[in-house]
Amino acid sequence: MPQAPTTLSDEIGIALGNLADAAAAPFTPTLRLGVTGLSRSGKTIFITALIHALLTGGRLPGFAPLTEGRFIGARLAEHPDAGIPRFAYEDHLAALTGKTPVWPESTRKISQLRLVLKFQSKRLFAGMLGPTSLNLDIVDYPGEWLLDLPLLSQSFAQWSASALGRASKPHSNHEAEGFLNALEGLDPETEASDVTAERLAKAFTEYLRLSREDGRALSTLPPGHFLLPGDMEGSPALTFAPLPPPKGPVRSGSLYAMLERRYEAYKALIVRPFFRDHFARLDRQIVLVDTLRALNAGPAAVADLETALTEILGCFRQGENNPLTWLVARRIDRILFAATKADHLHSSSHDRLEAVMNRLVAGAARRAKFAGAETRSIAMAAIRATREGVVDDRGKPHEVIVGTPMAGQMLDGVTYDGKTEIALFPGDLPERPDSLFEDSTPVSLNFLRFVPPQKLDRNAEGSVVLPHIRLDRALDFLLGDKLR
Ligand code: GDP
């Protein structure tokens, strides 16, 4: 992974931004927690569950500040950045806790929310003994945007060569066909035309979209803003596509020159500001990964996920290569990789899912020569939609999960109506995670989307309790040490 994500002026901008953050909050320290993951990996659900658990002191036995009696409480605070949408916590919670709970709308662009956490500090020597506060800024952004980092050090010609090489691979046939047809017979030296640029961009975006469908679940295709454009949707900076190289020198009025300019505009107007203004200001990061979906889609999707994680890890820039390290006060010091939706498996497989996640990240870390920040892997369900049971199969006990598949979900020729509860044997993960990377036979999982829990308990104060798996451990890793 090339190491040129930001320029010198960006570095100074980041440093000044960090100083400004510190000046704006002289008394209350702020922890900026980045929450990312590819589309539908579970960011919206995780953030909603996390905020709700902190606001209501939810069931969090693995969250040491709570069990040790140090955590006093949390409240929502005024949104700190006027230019970034607020995370729609209230709407998402309302969807999950309404009369008929439904999953809320997913993350489409960056959003943010601030919580103030109050706790009893034990840090006598730091002069902080007694009740004290921490601002927790949660920054939610699409993981697709991280995949854009390598583009910063690639020319249009280099990016085009790798994107076209990939689209022409046999395993991309199904999704890339339309785009390759659109390119067929097109001379890159032809006159520049908005109509042609739009047609190619549309076909290329469709190729990216098809790659992400269930059953394919491929994930490593930049430009990340094509599928999640944020506020720049439809602008020229998002209307380009890879082109084969022209035979002679590039003519400035040619289609090739036009798309090359747009590619450079995409980097300057979209990619670089995101890294400079948002990513570089994070202190901690959780990367959510729908590992089970990739396992279910087969070895190509698993290999692809591993590549995506390698690229994401490459974004966590290390100090040694950065001459202005001393200026950049903020540095991500903890990264949690969470395999989400662990409630799709029986708890007897949760440790195995964690091992798979570890294996996925270990490969990525090795290749990216990543060192420095503390990383951990966890299997988690931010909101648990199933319970566990045992069914008797001709005298043999079978561990199953019990839940209501969403309307339209299909398994073994049966289409579910969204109302019928079923007991499902989800399948086993292999004991040795390496086998997932060696074997060409996919693990056989029964993977269905379930409706969210329909009957929710209430705690002594009357607040709804959202069931989860290991959310408390995730919180403890991400925040626990900051609440001492
Ligand atoms: P985002 O695009 O990363 O924000 O993804 P979401 O948080 O919206 O999650 C996408 C979908 O995954 C949801 O609509 C749910 O169907 C499912 N999902 C997310 N988290 C969980 C979980 O903890 N358990 C279960 N069973 N499903 C989940």
Side-chain angles (χ1 to χ4, degrees):
M1 155 92 28
Q3 280 279 336
T6 50
T7 64
L8 190 71
S9 61
D10 289 335
E11 295 286 358
I12 293 169
I14 292 164
L16 292 180
N18 286 340
L19 292 178
D21 287 347
F27 301 115
T28 308
T30 298
L31 185 79
R32 287 175 71 84
L33 170 66
V35 179
T36 197
L38 298 172
S39 185
R40 308 205 60 76
S41 58
K43 298 179 289 294
T44 310
I45 304 301
F46 169 75
I47 298 173
T48 307
L50 173 152
I51 297 172
H52 185 261
L54 289 173
L55 289 178
T56 59
R59 286 181 195 151
L60 303 169
F63 183 46
L66 196 71
T67 44
E68 291 169 11
R70 276 182 282 122
F71 184 70
I72 300 172
R75 65 176 173 82
L76 292 168
E78 194 186 327
H79 186 45
D81 273 299
I84 305 177
R86 182 176 178 275
F87 179 79
Y89 168 67
E90 292 78 6
D91 295 350
H92 298 328
L93 187 70
L96 285 162
T97 57
K99 211 160 144 229
T100 310
V102 290
W103 298 112
E105 282 287 311
S106 281
T107 304
R108 305 288 301 165
K109 52 185 173 186
I110 191 160
S111 69
Q112 191 176 318
L113 186 139
R114 171 170 286 184
L115 281 172
V116 181
L117 310 182
K118 246 188 154 180
F119 62 102
Q120 292 285 350
S121 177
K122 292 197 298 193
R123 285 190 285 165
L124 175 61
F125 298 111
M128 287 177 57
L129 197 65
T132 184
S133 301
L134 175 76
N135 290 333
L136 175 65
D137 286 1
I138 302 169
V139 184
D140 171 24
Y141 65 92
E144 281 80 357
W145 295 3
L146 292 181
L147 300 175
D148 281 342
L149 184 76
L151 302 188
L152 289 178
S153 51
Q154 277 173 23
S155 66
F156 181 60
Q158 288 168 325
W159 171 69
S160 289
S162 76
L164 293 177
R166 194 185 171 108
S168 322
K169 285 208 175 122
H171 85 269
S172 301
N173 268 348
H174 159 69
E175 53 265 16
E177 200 184 355
F179 171 62
L180 294 175
N181 286 343
L183 273 186
E184 186 78 28
L186 186 86
D187 177 3
E189 282 161 280
T190 186
E191 259 338 276
S193 136
D194 270 312
V195 176
T196 313
E198 264 163 41
R199 185 168 56 84
L200 289 177
K202 212 166 151 208
F204 188 64
T205 308
E206 180 60 7
Y207 156 47
L208 300 184
R209 196 188 61 71
L210 288 173
S211 304
R212 290 283 294 141
E213 276 190 347
D214 275 339
R216 300 292 294 154
L218 301 178
S219 53
T220 55
L221 299 171
H225 285 72
F226 272 37
L227 292 182
L228 296 161
D231 296 329
M232 302 276 289
E233 194 156 10
S235 64
L238 281 168
T239 314
F240 64 92
L243 281 181
K247 295 201 179 69
V250 180
R251 210 171 36 86
S252 77
S254 65
L255 182 70
Y256 189 90
M258 179 195 208
L259 298 198
E260 185 170 36
R261 281 193 298 276
R262 290 181 173 195
Y263 171 80
E264 291 303 330
Y266 176 77
K267 283 161 48 175
L269 299 177
I270 298 179
V271 182
R272 202 183 290 286
F274 164 68
F275 279 97
R276 188 189 55 213
D277 301 339
H278 304 299
F279 184 75
R281 292 172 56 207
L282 299 175
D283 301 300
R284 300 243 156 126
Q285 177 69 59
I286 176 166
V287 181
L288 302 175
V289 187
D290 196 345
T291 314
L292 290 172
R293 182 162 171 259
L295 294 179
N296 207 42
V302 175
D304 187 78
L305 180 61
E306 196 186 12
T307 315
L309 289 173
T310 306
E311 297 198 352
I312 286 174
L313 265 175
C315 295
F316 299 101
R317 180 178 52 146
Q318 290 308 292
E320 306 92 69
N321 302 328
N322 177 359
L324 292 175
T325 301
W326 63 275
L327 264 179
V328 185
R330 285 233 170 79
R331 167 126 309 122
I332 292 174
D333 63 350
R334 284 192 178 185
I335 306 167
L336 182 62
F337 289 91
T340 53
K341 312 178 193 179
D343 57 330
H344 285 106
L345 290 177
H346 192 271
S347 57
S348 55
S349 285
H350 290 164
D351 287 344
R352 288 186 184 182
L353 181 58
E354 241 163 62
V356 171
M357 194 65 221
N358 242 331
R359 168 65 179 75
L360 277 168
V361 184
R366 214 177 22 248
R367 269 187 264 153
K369 290 206 174 38
F370 180 82
E374 195 181 339
T375 64
R376 191 169 296 172
S377 303
I378 197 168
M380 173 185 84
I383 295 186
R384 176 179 197 155
T386 65
R387 20 181 243 285
E388 298 190 337
V390 179
V391 294
D392 184 81
D393 182 15
R394 280 163 283 170
K396 261 198 179 161
H398 254 304
E399 288 170 330
V400 293
I401 55 173
V402 181
T404 306
M406 290 177 68
Q409 290 284 293
M410 289 193 324
L411 187 71
D412 294 338
V414 181
T415 305
Y416 293 98
D417 62 1
K419 297 192 188 94
T420 316
E421 193 174 74
I422 61 162
L424 179 73
F425 174 61
D428 284 323
L429 290 179
E431 205 171 320
R432 223 171 42 87
D434 273 342
S435 60
L436 290 169
F437 299 80
E438 293 156 4
D439 293 348
S440 50
T441 41
V443 280
S444 166
L445 291 176
N446 290 317
F447 184 85
L448 285 171
R449 289 183 69 198
F450 293 98
V451 300
Q454 301 292 300
K455 284 198 196 87
L456 296 165
D457 288 349
R458 289 190 179 264
N459 66 14
E461 286 82 44
S463 303
V464 165
V465 178
L466 295 173
H468 65 82
I469 297 168
R470 299 184 182 178
L471 176 68
D472 48 346
R473 289 200 213 168
L475 278 180
D476 200 58
F477 178 74
L478 293 169
L479 303 178
D481 63 319
K482 295 286 179 185
L483 301 181
R484 288 217 182 102

